[in-house]
Amino acid sequence: MSDDDDGRGPAFTLVILLGGLVFGFGLGLSGMAKPEIVLGFLQFEDLGLLFVMGGAAVVSGVTFFGATRFLGRAPLTGRRYTRRLKTMDRNVPVGGAIFGVGWGLSGICPGAAYASVGVGNLPILWAVLGMFLGAYAQGFVRASRADEADAGTAASGD
Amino acid sequence: MDMMTLPLIAFADLFPRGVAQYAAGGLLIGLGVAVIYLGTGIIAGASTFLESTLSYVSDVPRFNRAKYLASRDWRVVFTLGIVGGGAVYALAFGEFGWTTDVQPWRLLGGGFLVGVGTRVGKGCTSGHGVCGVGSLSETSLVNVATFMAVAIGTAQVVAALGVSP
């Protein structure tokens, strides 16, 4: 993994912004920005969300496959195209389970929460606050555990 | 009732709102990822924003690692884009100002666990669920299978306990 350097100029910023706009529009259209729809999916009342994740993963999968195979480096950064391959360890299922409880309780995940703010859904700010508090608590606890503080391979994420 | 209509009825029960807007939304979510990826080579997930943004206000070393300091500015731009995209959708479809009825304690408590879980588990529904699955990453498939199963169990239990909305 190369560094995610900032400051590559206006074209870089514009592409990030454009990608975010399309991403957020998709989250709105897909219903992910509404906790009620996500909870309805998890309670098997409407399985439409299968098409959201499936459709998104197919597009990203085809893009990643094509770029890693046929393209060299990204024009705006010179970064090599890679796939998203994180290392497997005990944290992966443990974190997934914690996330699952939170998702099942609230019906909200990070990207969808940001999009929901854009919809004008002010109560969702409770969830955004909760996510920041959770990320802070996790980072604080981890940083204060000396044995993990110097483990450079510790979990990172998206 | 012939043999052709039965499966259609079952299908309609599973998808009471149809599948078109879900599929279209999913394709756009993937397209947003693809735009950033093709332009910059960056595989953007939504939850690292939480950690990297905390570096603006916290001295905790965990949030001030070089990779977060280097990416925190564009992650803010990405997130503002997501907020803007949600707003454009809501304005275009006349849903601006829609608010959830899910209770604040569920949002706050669930959000807290989402914040912890994505950081421990190296990603969220976009990082693992879209980009990781699109990469056929075994790590992401394990994470997604875990959070899906646990989330379904949690939502069913919460509903069974009579908590609504």
Side-chain angles (χ1 to χ4, degrees), chain B residues 7-72:
Chain B
L8 289 175
I9 289 170
F11 188 83
D13 285 344
L14 295 175
F15 302 97
R17 279 184 286 259
V19 299
Q21 66 174 350
Y22 294 116
L27 294 177
L28 287 173
I29 292 168
L31 185 64
V33 169
V35 165
I36 292 174
Y37 180 75
L38 290 174
T40 68
I42 291 171
I43 299 177
S47 63
T48 305
F49 166 75
L50 301 170
E51 238 169 345
S52 65
T53 302
L54 284 168
S55 72
Y56 290 112
V57 294
S58 169
D59 292 332
V60 173
R62 177 87 197 152
F63 308 124
N64 286 278
R65 292 186 299 173
K67 59 178 292 194
Y68 294 147
L69 295 179
S71 69
R72 63 183 186 179

Side-chain angles (χ1 to χ4, degrees), chain B residues 69-116:
Chain B
L69 295 179
S71 69
R72 63 183 186 179
D73 289 346
W74 73 251
R75 289 186 191 281
V76 169
V77 173
F78 178 51
T79 300
L80 289 175
I82 297 172
V83 173
V88 171
Y89 157 77
L91 291 168
F93 285 78
E95 292 195 348
F96 192 79
W98 178 90
T99 54
T100 183
D101 288 326
V102 174
Q103 301 170 56
W105 70 268
R106 294 182 71 175
L107 298 173
L108 182 65
F112 183 87
L113 293 172
V114 164
V116 173

Side-chain angles (χ1 to χ4, degrees), chain A residues 4 6 34 36 46-47 60 77 81-84 86-87 89 92 96 105 109 114 119 121 130 155-158, chain B residues 14 17 22 37-38 40 45-48 62 67 70 74 95 97 100-101 106 112 122 125 127 130 135 139 143:
Chain A
D4 295 349
D6 278 323
K34 295 180 177 177
E36 280 87 343
D46 180 353
L47 301 189
S60 68
T77 59
Y81 290 116
T82 59
R83 294 193 294 153
R84 184 187 190 279
K86 302 250 172 185
T87 51
D89 55 41
V92 171
L105 186 62
C109 58
Y114 315 150
V119 170
N121 179 18
S156 61
D158 291 278
Chain B
L14 295 175
R17 279 184 286 259
Y22 294 116
Y37 180 75
L38 290 174
T40 68
S47 63
T48 305
R62 177 87 197 152
K67 59 178 292 194
W74 73 251
E95 292 195 348
T100 183
D101 288 326
R106 294 182 71 175
F112 183 87
K122 312 183 187 187
T125 22
V130 176
S135 299
T139 300
N143 186 271

Side-chain angles (χ1 to χ4, degrees), chain B residues 133-144:
Chain B
V133 169
S135 299
L136 299 178
S137 156
E138 285 179 28
T139 300
S140 292
L141 293 170
V142 167
N143 186 271
V144 172

Side-chain angles (χ1 to χ4, degrees), chain A residues 131-145:
Chain A
M131 291 191 300
F132 271 111
L133 291 175
Y136 183 79
Q138 192 271 344
F140 186 82
V141 167
R142 190 164 225 154
S144 50
R145 273 158 46 178

